[in-house]
Amino acid sequence: MKNIRLISRLDVKGPNLIKTIRFEGLRKVGNPNDFALKYFNDGVDEIIFIDIVASLYQRNNLDTILKNAAKNIFVPITAGGGIRNIDDAQRILRSGADKIAVNTAAIQNPNLIRDLANNVGTQSLVISIEAKKNKNGFWEAFINNGRDKTGLNVLDWAKTAEKLGAGEVLLTSVDKEGTRKGFDLDLIKLVCKKVKIPVVACGGMYSLSCFENVVKKSNADAVAISDCIHFNRLNIQDIKKFASSKNISVRK
Amino acid sequence: MIKEVSIINYPYGNILSLIRAFDYLKIKINLIDNPREIKKSNRLIFPGVGTFPKAINFLKNNNFFKEMQEYFYLNKPYLGICLGMQVLLDNSEELEKTPGFGIVKGNVIKLPNKNNSNKIIKIPHINWNLIFYNKRVNHVFNVGCKYMYFVHSYYAIPNEKNDILAYTDYEDIKICALIKKRNIIGCQFHPEKSGKDGLKFLKDFMTL
């Protein structure tokens, strides 16, 4: 049996939970720890915290949020944003995260993936990929929270990251993120075919049918959601009940 | 119920979650930096993550290995989580063949990348899966067949089926989820990350 994991993704800036659209137009939503606790109590399978400005301003505010989360949340926690080296990774793990997600620093120095995998283990290392379809018809990997292009083809980069030791892909569509327009199914399908590590689909979830679509059509292992739960349009239990009714295995 | 648990202060990975889980259960924690403390404890946990050789090197270089052997000899309750379970076996093939404690006969090997139906299996196994108990042995945990959180690329293959308390199923691969030899226990899943049922499991360990 494989159960599709339902993950709540919480983007933070400073002490605040925020929500963006295509990584822009940031809105404050509330206290990230309050929201995380609610999702835990609702039965979420995992929580992702991403510090959205950390890589740009070379700082990291996640520690406090993680330490607070560790007090009352007993599901896996992934943290990302601004992790540049092994020391950063160790600090984040010791603050209460189980996995670290890297993007910008890994693209700038791919060997960081190998070093991190050797140090924290593949199972704790998530490669976060921000994908945007470009004019040449391929998906390009972006860094600094969807701001800067890299010229890298997402499919090639995902494969490289897997080879270097990443244990999971957090795949966010920059085009769909926060838009409430559904997942980028083509992108997710292709990445799932390309790699043999678990893929977390992220960006665009707005309805129950969206969830069914992405799971059944793309072979994603997990689905990360934010907008639809932050603003109370859906809740974790409803999504899980719906999944079961559509023969999608989830943890009950 | 025993009111204090000793946890080996393994510097790699997330040990804080385990500490907070026991805080939540209102059980006192003795974080062990000095291996000599091990013999004073009545409930010992090694929550290893990362690679097998690194964990063994850490235990040997810091004199934990020998103290743990003595603790096992006295048959006081031990709980190994994830890698802390795997080190109980004879050997692991992770990175390079490395001997473990050999408390449970058998080896630790990489998860197969295909199942019997030739379906590609994603590795690491990162999933919430139901555990089910081995009917041949008495299960000592009150927590029933519940969903537990797994994250691993290698898995234990004990030689003796009677050493296995529970299994899980991942894409039709039967994975040993819980082992027990006398009072020495190991779980492949992470109880500290398995929600309220995981907390119950940890509480069960304290009442053994």
Side-chain angles (χ1 to χ4, degrees), chain A:
Chain A
M1 178 77 80
K2 184 168 91 180
N3 294 302
I4 300 298
R5 283 174 288 144
L6 185 60
I7 302 174
S8 53
R9 172 175 173 158
L10 293 91
D11 290 330
V12 298
K13 183 186 177 191
N16 296 310
L17 171 65
I18 57 97
K19 188 67 203 101
T20 53
I21 298 171
R22 296 190 191 90
F23 287 118
E24 285 172 352
L26 164 170
R27 286 162 291 170
K28 274 189 202 172
V29 183
N31 177 319
N33 289 110
D34 293 346
F35 277 76
L37 181 60
K38 177 186 186 300
Y39 300 147
F40 169 68
N41 287 327
D42 287 349
V44 83
D45 296 325
E46 201 167 320
I47 288 171
I48 299 177
F49 290 108
I50 303 281
D51 184 334
I52 63 150
V53 290
S55 61
L56 202 63
Y57 299 117
Q58 307 248 322
R59 66 177 183 194
N60 214 313
N61 291 310
L62 276 178
D63 305 30
T64 315
I65 293 169
L66 290 170
K67 281 178 185 159
N68 285 329
K71 284 179 196 160
N72 50 23
I73 289 169
F74 300 103
V75 294
I77 296 173
T78 300
I83 296 169
R84 284 168 291 272
N85 51 47
I86 288 169
D87 286 348
D88 288 343
Q90 289 292 354
R91 198 191 66 245
I92 291 287
L93 294 178
R94 288 192 75 82
S95 298
D98 303 278
K99 298 187 261 187
I100 51 160
V102 286
N103 173 26
T104 304
I107 285 186
Q108 288 163 348
N109 168 25
N111 283 328
L112 177 66
I113 299 175
R114 187 184 290 131
D115 293 346
L116 286 171
N118 286 336
N119 197 274
V120 304
T122 288
Q123 80 291 334
S124 297
L125 181 56
V126 179
I127 185 76
S128 167
I129 298 180
E130 292 158 7
K132 193 172 178 177
K133 200 163 189 179
N134 68 16
K135 286 177 190 136
N136 303 322
F138 71 89
W139 282 272
E140 186 175 345
F142 274 64
I143 54 172
N144 289 324
N145 222 48
R147 283 180 191 87
D148 301 320
K149 49 174 78 177
T150 64
L152 277 175
N153 183 320
V154 162
L155 298 178
D156 299 336
W157 172 234
K159 194 73 205 168
T160 305
E162 177 188 24
K163 279 187 189 152
L164 288 168
E168 194 172 21
V169 178
L170 170 61
L171 180 61
T172 310
S173 160
V174 178
D175 303 309
K176 300 284 186 176
E177 197 276 330
T179 60
R180 304 181 185 176
K181 285 182 176 165
F183 292 94
D184 189 338
L185 288 179
D186 293 332
L187 164 72
I188 299 160
K189 251 189 264 184
L190 287 170
V191 173
C192 286
K193 270 191 195 141
K194 194 82 182 177
V195 297
K196 293 184 179 124
I197 50 178
V199 175
V200 182
C202 183
M205 166 99 171
Y206 71 95
S207 69
L208 294 171
S209 63
C210 259
F211 181 79
E212 184 185 10
N213 259 336
V214 72
V215 172
K216 289 192 173 166
K217 291 183 179 159
S218 78
N219 204 26
D221 301 273
V223 178
I225 56 177
S226 29
D227 185 277
C228 62
I229 46 172
H230 294 348
F231 299 108
N232 248 324
R233 287 179 297 116
L234 291 173
N235 75 52
I236 305 287
Q237 277 311 317
D238 291 344
I239 298 170
K240 289 200 168 187
K241 272 182 208 149
F242 171 82
S244 297
S245 76
K246 297 289 176 185
N247 289 321
I248 297 169
S249 301
V250 290
R251 163 195 171 227
K252 290 179 200 78

Side-chain angles (χ1 to χ4, degrees), chain B residues 90-198:
Chain B
D90 286 322
N91 286 292
S92 167
E93 64 169 36
E94 186 170 5
L95 300 180
E96 55 189 334
K97 191 175 171 186
T98 308
F101 285 101
I103 299 284
V104 171
K105 296 293 153 209
N107 293 303
V108 178
I109 64 169
K110 183 137 198 194
L111 283 164
N113 50 20
K114 280 181 184 168
N115 68 9
N116 286 335
S117 334
N118 231 12
K119 187 182 177 196
I120 291 176
I121 305 302
K122 298 217 177 165
I123 304 173
H125 168 214
I126 305 180
N127 217 212
W128 287 81
N129 282 106
L130 282 172
I131 58 165
F132 49 94
Y133 289 92
N134 181 357
K135 292 196 177 80
R136 293 156 41 138
V137 292
N138 292 329
H139 59 84
V140 290
F141 287 87
N142 291 320
V143 59
C145 296
K146 300 288 184 183
Y147 288 92
M148 297 291 174
Y149 179 71
F150 290 81
V151 49
H152 61 119
S153 304
Y154 290 78
Y155 72 131
I157 313 270
N159 297 346
E160 295 284 335
K161 295 269 184 295
N162 287 341
D163 291 343
I164 300 172
L165 271 189
Y167 297 93
T168 193
D169 167 276
Y170 173 55
E171 299 272 40
D172 294 330
I173 297 167
K174 205 171 173 185
I175 293 172
C176 165
L178 186 57
I179 55 176
K180 180 175 178 295
K181 189 91 177 176
R182 299 177 285 124
N183 280 326
I184 302 158
I185 294 158
C187 56
Q188 181 60 66
F189 53 85
H190 286 269
E192 79 281 16
K193 286 287 157 186
S194 296
K196 286 167 185 154
D197 293 322

